[in-house]
Amino acid sequence: MTRKLRPPKHRLTRLGVGATVLAMLLVALGAPPARAELYHPRQTWMRNATAGLFLHWGLRTTRSDPAAPPFTNTDCAAWEAEVTGSGWNAGTWVSAAQKLHAQYLVLASFHSRLGYARAWPSRIPGSCSTTRDFLRETIDAAKAKGLKVILYMTDDPQWYWEGLRDKPADPKNPDPGDVNLPNWFDSAAYSAYKGKPVNLTTRDGFGEFSYDNFFEVMRNYPDLSGFWIDNDNKYWEDHNLYQQVHQLRPSWLLSNNNEDTPEMDTVSNEQKTGMTPPYDYNSALWTSMPRLTESCYKLPAKGAWWYDGEGPNRAGGAEVDKKLNVGRFISNVAASSKALEAETSKLDGSFPANQEEFNNFMNTYLPPIWESIHGVEGGGYMYGGLQPGAFNDGAYGYTTIGKDDRDRHYIHVIDPPAAGTELKVRDNGYVVRTVRDVRTGKKFDFSQSGGTLTIKGVTTWDPYDTVFKVETDGRTGIHRKGTVTATASVSAAGHDASALVDGDYTKYWDNDATLPAAITLDLGRARKVAYVAVNQREWSPTQPRTSFGHPEDSARIKDYTVEVSTDGTTWTAVRSDTMRSARAVQFIDLNVARARYVRLTVTTTWATETLPEYYKKLRIDEMWAGGEYPSTRGRGWWPW
C-alpha cells in the first residue's frame, strides 16, 4: 500500500507548526531590517576552526568504474545500491578531513550540477532521495571525532537538464513543456504533494521545493551544524527563511556563497584565481573583519570540481599543486579566514590518488608548524601583528599573531628572497626579543632599524612555507590612543573621521566617494613623527583581475601627499607618493622632527571608472602616528 503524502500545511509536527506561525508573524509584521551579527555564540566554533573539507558527491559523481556513465534521474535506487555495494563509509571522509587538519565538513549532494540528489530519506517528492541515510551516517562519524557537518543547499534549478539531454534554448527560462522532457526533477509528484501545479524547473517553483526541504532537514537532524547556501532565492526571502532558521535552530550557522547577505553568519568566497602570486587568496577577498569569512577552492588543478573525481589523468586524478594549496591554506589563516578545501570524492567515498597523496602530505606537514596556524589571527589587520605581503628581494608571505598572546608572532615565507640570507619584514612598532625557526627551534640573529625587522643568517628555506616564531615585548613609539584626534575634509553620514583613532575596527571613515579627500591627525602638541600607519578597510579585492567575468580592483589609496604643520595654518609638504594596493597595514615614513598636525591628502584610488562599486570610494578603519621606531635594544609597551 502506498501512503499518500500530504502538503506541509497539514503536517502538525512541532517544528512545522512553529515554522508556519513564525513565517506568518514575520510576513504580517514585516521582517526587521537585516543586519549582520558580527559575533554570536553559534559562530564560536567556526571562529576557532582553521579549515573545512568541501565534499561534492551525488548522482553525477565519478563511479567506481570511471568509464561508466553517470546515473540518470530515474536511477536513484540504482545509485544508492552501487554506493552501498562499493563499501562507502563516512569514516573515509572524516579521516580525510582530519588529515587536512579541518574541523568541519560541508556535504554537497543537493547540488545543481550533481543531479539534485538528497543523500537522506525524504517525504518530499521532487528529486532523488535515498532510503539509506548517508547524511545521518556522516554526522555521526564526524561527531565521533569532534568534527561538525554543514549541509549544502542550492537555490538554482537552471541545470535541471544537464547530463540528460541537449541544452535547452534558455535553461533559466524553460518552456512549460520542459517539465515533461528528461530532467532531474519530478514536478508532477511535487505538484501532487502540494495540491497545486508547481514547475520545479523554474526559480520560484524550485525555491518552494527547496524551502520545504530546509524545514524537513531541520526537523530530522537537530545535531547538524548549519546550512551552506549557494546564493539566494526570492521565494526564500519572501518567506523569511533565514530568520526562521535562526529562530528554530539558534545554534546553526548560515553560510552564503559569493554574497554578503546580512542574515548569514559566514560569507564564503568561491574559487578565486588570477592573483599574483597565485596562492595569495586573501588578496581576492572583499569582506571586512570581524565578519566571519571562508574561502572555498578545489584542490585538483583540473576537472569539474562538482563531480569529476578523476580529472583528465585517470591514473591518479588531476594534479594537486602542493605549493599552491599550502599557500592558499596559509594565506587564509593569515587573513583570519577559513580554508574550505574542495576534494572530488568518488562514488565509493574514496579520493583520486593525487588528492589522497596530498591529504597524507598535509597530515605530516602541518603538525610541526601547527602553533603558527591554529589559535592565531591574521597579522597586520585589526588584531595587530607584523606586516604581511611582499618582503625583500622577491620574498612573499604572511604573518599571524596569537589570539591569547599578542607578543607571539609568526612569519610564513612562501616565496623566499631571490638571493641572500636575510629576510626583512616591517615590524609595526613591535620590539622583537627573539626569532626562531618553528620547525627546528634554531635561533637567528636579527636587528631592528627604521621600522624594519631584519632576520639574518637564513641558509635553508622550506619549499612550501618557512615559518619563523617572533617573540616581542609589546609595541613602542606610537602616539597613544586618546592623545590623537582626527578630522576630514569630507565624510559620509555615520562614518566621520573620529572612527580613525578610536581603536574600534567595526567603525570606519568613509570619503563619501569624493576625491581629493584630506585627513588631518592632531597629535595634541608638537611631537616627532617618524611615520603614519594606515589600516584600510578590507571591503574590496586588492589586485586588478577578472573574476566571474567581471573586472575587479581596489578601493584603496593610490596617489597621496602628506603635509605637516606646527600651528594648523602653515603647512609643509613632506612626501608625495603612490601607495601599493595591498591588504593589511601600510606605512608612510616621514622622519619629521617636530609637528602637531599631519595631513594626508588622497588624490586618487586604484579602482577605475569601469568599477562604480569602488571608483573613488575609500574606507579606512584606523590610522596612527609613530614618533619612534623600535631598535634592537629597545623595550616596549602597548599603545592601547
Side-chain angles (χ1 to χ4, degrees):
M1 179 178 177
T2 302
R3 181 180 180 184
K4 184 177 180 180
L5 300 179
R6 295 176 293 177
K9 63 182 179 181
H10 297 305
R11 294 203 308 268
L12 299 180
T13 62
R14 182 176 300 173
L15 184 57
V17 171
T20 302
V21 172
L22 178 61
M24 292 172 63
L25 286 173
L26 288 170
V27 171
L29 299 176
R35 184 176 181 181
E37 292 187 277
L38 295 180
Y39 294 101
H40 191 281
R42 66 175 168 264
Q43 300 171 1
T44 300
W45 73 264
M46 177 68 87
R47 290 192 178 277
N48 291 333
T50 302
L53 174 58
F54 204 173
L55 295 160
H56 293 70
W57 186 74
L59 284 165
R60 301 189 69 198
T61 297
T62 300
R63 298 169 71 177
S64 301
D65 175 5
F71 289 95
T72 70
N73 63 322
T74 59
D75 287 333
C76 193
W79 176 68
E80 178 181 344
E82 184 166 322
V83 172
T84 298
S86 72
W88 178 92
N89 188 298
T92 303
W93 288 349
V94 173
S95 176
Q98 290 181 301
K99 290 177 180 179
L100 290 167
H101 286 66
Q103 289 74 41
Y104 64 103
L105 297 88
V106 178
L107 176 59
S109 70
F110 189 58
H111 186 283
S112 59
R113 310 300 293 272
L114 281 166
Y116 302 92
R118 293 167 292 167
W120 59 89
S122 174
R123 297 178 62 198
I124 305 169
S127 73
C128 165
S129 176
T130 60
T131 55
R132 181 177 175 181
D133 199 338
F134 298 103
L135 175 58
R136 164 51 54 202
E137 292 180 43
T138 301
I139 294 172
D140 289 346
K143 284 176 61 178
K145 299 297 183 180
L147 276 63
K148 305 280 189 179
V149 175
I150 294 175
L151 183 64
Y152 174 104
M153 297 289 278
T154 184
D155 89 304
D156 186 2
Q158 69 172 305
W159 304 102
Y160 64 91
W161 55 271
E162 190 176 54
L164 301 176
R165 60 190 176 90
D166 292 338
K167 182 177 181 180
D170 187 355
K172 293 186 179 181
N173 297 288
D175 295 327
D178 272 342
V179 73
N180 298 316
L181 296 174
N183 67 82
W184 293 110
F185 300 132
D186 189 342
S187 295
Y190 183 67
S191 297
Y193 171 76
K194 296 291 287 189
K196 63 178 182 179
V198 182
N199 184 349
L200 298 185
T201 66
T202 65
R203 198 69 175 262
D204 286 345
F206 184 77
E208 184 172 357
F209 172 62
S210 52
Y211 178 90
D212 289 347
N213 276 272
F214 274 101
F215 288 98
E216 184 180 61
V217 168
M218 282 193 285
R219 181 175 62 251
N220 293 340
Y221 304 93
D223 50 352
L224 193 66
S225 294
F227 292 117
W228 199 98
I229 297 172
D230 204 345
N231 300 313
D232 292 316
N233 186 287
K234 188 175 185 301
Y235 188 94
W236 302 348
E237 295 169 340
D238 290 346
H239 291 77
N240 301 295
L241 172 64
Y242 308 136
Q243 296 95 324
Q244 292 185 77
V245 172
H246 277 154
Q247 178 71 24
L248 297 169
R249 291 288 181 237
S251 66
W252 287 19
L253 280 179
L254 287 178
S255 299
N256 189 253
N257 188 25
N258 293 323
E259 294 185 20
D260 192 354
T261 305
E263 293 93 345
M264 300 294 169
D265 296 286
T266 308
V267 181
S268 196
N269 301 266
E270 180 184 356
Q271 192 67 10
K272 303 300 184 183
T273 59
M275 293 82 70
T276 303
Y279 55 77
D280 191 20
Y281 207 107
N282 60 353
S283 71
L285 305 185
W286 40 263
T287 310
S288 304
M289 288 183 281
R291 193 80 159 102
L292 188 56
T293 64
E294 174 189 69
S295 302
C296 57
Y297 53 89
K298 65 183 178 73
L299 293 177
K302 296 181 181 179
W305 70 334
W306 48 84
Y307 68 91
D308 189 0
E310 291 290 347
N313 177 7
R314 295 293 182 181
E319 176 189 2
V320 178
D321 186 324
K322 286 190 176 67
K323 181 167 183 176
L324 174 64
N325 285 296
V326 168
R328 284 170 161 176
F329 187 99
I330 298 300
S331 76
N332 278 292
V333 169
S336 297
S337 183
K338 313 308 168 187
L340 182 55
E341 302 163 280
E343 296 201 359
T344 47
S345 169
K346 293 187 285 188
L347 182 142
D348 64 2
S350 68
F351 299 93
N354 287 341
Q355 295 176 52
E356 182 66 31
E357 193 276 331
F358 180 79
N359 296 344
N360 293 332
F361 161 75
M362 291 290 272
N363 193 36
T364 58
Y365 185 79
L366 292 179
I369 59 173
W370 189 240
E371 67 175 85
S372 69
I373 295 171
H374 193 66
V376 298
E377 297 285 3
Y381 303 101
M382 61 181 286
Y383 303 103
L386 311 178
Q387 186 188 44
F391 303 139
N392 60 297
D393 301 319
Y396 202 94
Y398 310 96
T399 67
T400 53
I401 181 171
K403 286 184 178 181
D404 58 351
D405 181 0
R406 297 304 171 86
D407 275 322
R408 178 169 60 92
H409 307 260
Y410 301 92
I411 303 172
H412 295 263
V413 185
I414 308 299
D415 284 325
T421 59
E422 293 185 346
L423 181 73
K424 298 179 183 292
V425 178
R426 192 76 192 219
D427 60 31
N428 202 5
Y430 288 90
V431 181
V432 176
R433 183 171 70 246
T434 60
V435 178
R436 297 180 184 273
D437 185 294
V438 170
R439 289 186 176 87
T440 67
K442 179 181 177 180
K443 189 173 181 179
F444 290 94
D445 290 334
F446 66 91
S447 64
Q448 283 185 271
S449 178
T452 296
L453 164 67
T454 301
I455 302 173
K456 304 177 180 181
V458 185
T459 57
T460 303
W461 300 92
D462 185 87
Y464 308 116
D465 181 21
T466 303
V467 188
F468 299 98
K469 182 175 184 178
V470 179
E471 296 177 290
T472 63
D473 286 324
R475 300 167 84 179
T476 191
I478 300 173
H479 295 307
R480 292 177 182 270
K481 177 186 173 184
T483 65
V484 180
T485 57
T487 57
S489 62
V490 62
S491 300
H495 298 284
D496 61 54
S498 64
L500 293 167
V501 292
D502 63 358
D504 184 351
Y505 280 81
T506 65
K507 300 176 182 178
Y508 59 91
W509 168 77
D510 187 309
N511 76 328
D512 202 23
T514 302
L515 293 176
I519 300 166
T520 302
L521 298 181
D522 180 353
L523 308 183
R525 60 180 175 84
R527 304 168 181 262
K528 181 178 180 180
V529 184
Y531 64 91
V532 170
V534 184
N535 255 133
Q536 299 177 79
R537 194 156 183 81
E538 307 298 342
W539 70 292
S540 74
T542 61
Q543 297 193 34
R545 66 189 198 103
T546 298
S547 177
F548 295 104
H550 301 289
E552 293 182 343
D553 207 340
S554 169
R556 283 171 172 75
I557 298 169
K558 186 177 182 183
D559 297 310
Y560 68 89
T561 61
V562 178
E563 302 164 282
V564 296
S565 174
T566 57
D567 58 9
T569 301
T570 303
W571 295 86
T572 302
V574 292
R575 184 163 179 182
S576 294
D577 209 342
T578 297
M579 186 176 291
R580 65 178 181 170
S581 178
R583 289 169 64 91
V585 59
Q586 303 298 310
F587 299 93
I588 304 172
D589 293 306
L590 300 174
N591 196 27
V592 173
R594 193 169 181 271
R596 174 174 175 173
Y597 302 96
V598 181
R599 184 164 66 194
L600 169 66
T601 300
V602 180
T603 54
T604 64
T605 54
W606 283 96
T608 63
E609 291 182 80
T610 59
L611 294 165
E613 181 181 0
Y614 300 131
Y615 181 55
K616 290 188 177 181
K617 296 180 181 180
L618 180 62
R619 297 174 183 176
I620 301 177
D621 285 322
E622 294 294 314
M623 287 181 62
W624 61 92
E628 300 284 350
Y629 297 112
S631 62
T632 301
R633 288 192 293 271
R635 296 190 67 82
W637 40 262
W638 286 94
W640 55 72

